Amino acid sequence: MKTTATLIVNGKSYELPIIEATDGNDAINISGLRRETGFITYDPGFRNTGGCMSAISYMDGEDGILRYRGIPIEQLAERSSFIETAYLLINGELPTSDELNRFSVLLNDHSLVHEDMRHFFERFPRGAHPMGMLASMVNTLRAFYPEIPERSEEDEINKTFARLLSKLRTLAAMSYRISMGLPVVYPSYFLSYCANFLNMMFDSTVRPYVIDDDMVNALNLFWILHADHEQNCSTSAVRLVGSARVNLYAAISAGISALWGPLHGGANQAVIEMLQAIHDSGGDTAPFIARAKDRNDPFRLMGFGHSIYKNYDPRGRIMKDMCHKLLARRNRNDPLLDIAKKLEEIALSDSYFTDNRLYPNVDFYSGIMLRNLGIPLDMFTVMFAIGRLPGWISQWKESREYIGAKLHRPRQVYRGYGERDYIPIHLRTANVREILKGKPITVKSPVFQSEDGSTAAVT
Ligand code: CMC
């Protein structure tokens, strides 16, 4: 096995060290490249760049593999709980039953949020998107609760993680209740993490919410499947913002904002909107497929394709299966599920999708499951955020503990103007701009005409 790679630049060769991965792609270490060669690398979207070394999750996009701390997602989906999976991600090992009990107690003890935070919620305008509210409220948590000091005991750190895990769920349910003008339901000591969430969302004094185990299990699975996903957009945002040594709440708030985008977590909402549009237009998928294939149309088949998976997203497969089970158990039919299956079948036999290796991702079926749990559409991405929180926390923790961690500061390939002179405002006409476009100003004191027709020399 080679331990270095040779790079030849302008006839001179350089040996670059190779970092061996335990699984997946090894890396060429270019951290000394600019110093030694004067060159940087160009990698838009960082698709070929390892920004960190991580031991948290592993994915193989070719074979559709995802593992948390080495354990295949299929095993966790079948046998674990969201809380146990969160513990595994954050601490690196599955908990013993004592550890899991202590963790549950901690989550329970920290599930309430400061009453004053309710007033913040009440000031958001009706119709505010819950993702924006959630990002703001998580940042606000720092004003109410301490951050983790530089040198802190493990107990203090664990308390802060539990606080965030537990309160995010409470805040999410609160945001829904307040946006609907409903009284807030507090977390209950007697309910599990997932059951508590459903109860906080839907319980009412006039119609008590009946906990349904199938719904609780489906939610549990939904959150396990979303718990971590390597260096995706929002996780990278958490690491990047965290690299400035901001507090945990601010870093997680950045992750929530990134997740909101329709190309990332916002896709679960966009999928349902697309399926509903197909349904409302009579169920014909052809115009939607045609638009997705048209390179001049920004429309994309939502819930299809992935930056890493060039195969069926393993989470998508489990989600699809769970959707079927949930609907069958509840004896329900969902016309959007039928449309989704038809769309999948058509897309997977169309060369545009197969050639580009576009398969259903986790979001293709997750929205159908959420709507069958009674979750309103604009809360879908919030549901993703609650699920992704253990991943964000563990990635933040890992980057904080990394010896020699650096402030994230990518470079750029500058392609703008060369040096040019400042033009006084009364001389800035469109004409002058045109003359100067792309040209460095090397000619001194040219004569320009201003908007009012007067001329002046620029000095
Ligand atoms: N519909 C139509 N065309 C697509 C789609 C799609 N859903 N996805 C990719 N393509 C095209 C893409 O435009 C590119 O075409 P061209 O070569 O002409 O530029 C080609 O297929 C190859 O795309 P890619 O490089 O494999 O994909 P990418 O890395 O640029 O984008 C993506 C990944 C997820 C942003 C994209 O697939 C997409 O926009 N999907 C729809 C949104 C979605 O479902 N997002 C959720 C992702 S999974 C949840 C998460 O982890 O965040």
Side-chain angles (χ1 to χ4, degrees):
M1 160 81 193
K2 271 196 87 178
T3 54
T4 60
T6 309
L7 174 74
I8 300 172
V9 184
N10 293 340
K12 202 169 163 206
S13 64
Y14 301 87
E15 291 302 309
L16 301 170
I18 289 178
I19 300 174
E20 215 177 315
T22 37
D23 254 319
N25 302 120
D26 296 337
I28 299 171
N29 183 349
I30 54 125
S31 54
L33 187 72
R34 198 179 71 91
R35 197 181 51 243
E36 286 174 32
T37 67
F39 280 87
I40 59 170
T41 54
Y42 177 61
D43 182 19
F46 311 121
R47 299 299 178 94
N48 290 288
T49 298
C52 62
M53 289 197 224
S54 182
I56 302 171
S57 58
Y58 169 72
M59 48 193 293
D60 177 335
E62 295 302 317
D63 290 335
I65 291 173
L66 174 62
R67 299 181 201 132
Y68 299 159
R69 300 283 188 187
I71 304 176
I73 190 67
E74 291 79 6
Q75 290 186 27
L76 290 165
E78 199 184 320
R79 303 171 68 177
S80 187
S81 69
F82 176 59
I83 288 313
E84 188 185 59
T85 298
Y87 186 101
L88 166 74
L89 284 166
I90 296 171
N91 298 293
E93 297 296 337
L94 286 167
T96 61
S97 57
D98 271 1
E99 286 165 338
L100 189 59
N101 278 342
R102 277 205 297 277
F103 190 47
S104 302
V105 170
L106 211 51
L107 290 173
N108 178 65
D109 287 350
H110 291 280
S111 56
L112 289 169
V113 295
H114 198 294
E115 275 295 293
D116 286 352
M117 289 191 83
R118 280 176 65 167
H119 303 311
F120 280 78
F121 270 122
E122 280 152 15
R123 296 291 172 269
F124 282 105
R126 277 285 147 87
H129 197 285
M131 278 300 272
M133 289 163 80
L134 198 68
S136 313
M137 296 312 285
V138 167
N139 228 335
T140 308
L141 280 173
R142 171 62 192 90
F144 290 89
Y145 302 97
E147 64 181 272
I148 305 175
E150 218 24 73
R151 286 173 200 281
S152 40
E153 296 299 314
E154 207 174 321
D155 265 9
E156 198 49 46
I157 299 176
N158 288 339
K159 208 183 280 176
T160 306
F161 293 158
R163 186 178 282 141
L164 192 48
L165 280 167
S166 203
K167 290 189 196 317
L168 188 82
R169 174 199 55 169
T170 308
L171 286 171
M174 269 172 89
S175 72
Y176 168 67
R177 301 288 297 201
I178 292 172
S179 74
M180 298 296 289
L182 296 167
V184 167
V185 177
Y186 291 101
S188 158
Y189 173 80
F190 299 103
L191 296 175
S192 69
Y193 189 92
C194 296
N196 236 323
F197 176 77
L198 291 171
N199 194 58
M200 282 192 271
M201 286 284 289
F202 304 122
D203 190 37
S204 154
T205 46
V206 291
R207 191 182 288 267
Y209 183 68
V210 181
I211 305 283
D212 175 320
D213 284 345
D214 290 332
M215 310 251 280
V216 172
N217 291 341
L219 181 58
N220 197 43
L221 179 92
F222 175 90
W223 278 338
I224 290 175
L225 296 181
H226 285 82
D228 195 50
H229 214 220
E230 218 228 52
Q231 304 310 316
N232 59 85
C233 178
S234 54
T235 299
S236 299
V238 170
R239 279 193 180 253
L240 186 136
V241 172
S243 79
R245 295 265 176 243
V246 296
N247 63 79
L248 174 68
Y249 306 108
I252 299 295
S253 171
I256 295 173
S257 299
L259 187 74
W260 193 358
L263 296 190
H264 190 13
N268 57 12
Q269 176 171 343
V271 169
I272 294 297
E273 286 163 349
M274 178 187 74
L275 295 175
Q276 191 66 52
I278 297 175
H279 179 263
D280 295 348
S281 64
D284 185 7
T285 54
F288 292 82
I289 296 272
R291 282 191 66 193
K293 287 160 63 172
D294 180 355
R295 290 205 154 86
N296 298 315
D297 189 331
F299 176 82
R300 286 183 166 189
L301 199 60
M302 299 313 287
F304 255 75
H306 198 276
S307 312
I308 309 256
Y309 293 123
K310 300 302 162 198
N311 203 325
Y312 215 113
D313 179 338
R315 304 166 302 168
R317 216 186 280 283
I318 302 170
M319 196 72 81
K320 181 180 178 184
D321 199 36
M322 183 47 133
C323 256
H324 277 121
K325 276 192 195 139
L326 183 69
L327 288 172
R329 286 245 172 89
R330 297 177 60 75
N331 217 1
R332 277 210 194 155
N333 247 333
D334 187 339
L336 297 198
L337 179 59
D338 299 333
I339 294 176
K341 286 194 310 194
K342 190 163 131 199
L343 205 54
E344 178 187 337
E345 198 184 311
I346 294 169
L348 294 188
S349 55
D350 185 312
S351 60
Y352 173 87
F353 294 93
T354 48
D355 291 353
N356 280 306
R357 305 173 75 191
L358 304 173
Y359 296 87
N361 58 49
V362 68
D363 290 320
F364 195 61
Y365 287 100
S366 68
I368 296 174
M369 193 169 94
L370 289 177
R371 80 192 215 116
N372 281 286
L373 295 182
I375 308 291
L377 191 59
D378 65 358
M379 284 290 287
F380 281 16
T381 315
V382 169
M383 301 300 288
F384 191 152
I386 301 172
R388 183 54 52 88
L389 186 59
W392 288 333
I393 292 176
S394 47
Q395 302 269 352
W396 180 89
K397 180 173 179 250
E398 187 179 70
S399 65
R400 194 172 186 265
E401 287 168 353
Y402 185 70
I403 312 267
K406 293 207 184 319
L407 175 71
H408 286 207
R409 177 56 175 88
R411 293 267 172 175
Q412 63 172 7
V413 180
Y414 178 69
R415 304 268 287 169
Y417 287 114
E419 185 182 337
R420 58 184 187 145
D421 291 325
Y422 177 87
I423 302 170
I425 194 160
H426 64 287
L427 295 174
R428 288 175 216 158
T429 62
N431 192 20
V432 170
R433 287 223 180 92
E434 208 42 51
I435 295 168
L436 296 178
K437 213 178 238 172
K439 291 183 197 155
I441 302 192
T442 47
V443 185
K444 289 289 174 200
S445 302
V447 176
F448 294 120
Q449 189 161 33
S450 68
E451 305 267 11
D452 63 7
S454 61
T455 57
V458 178
T459 55

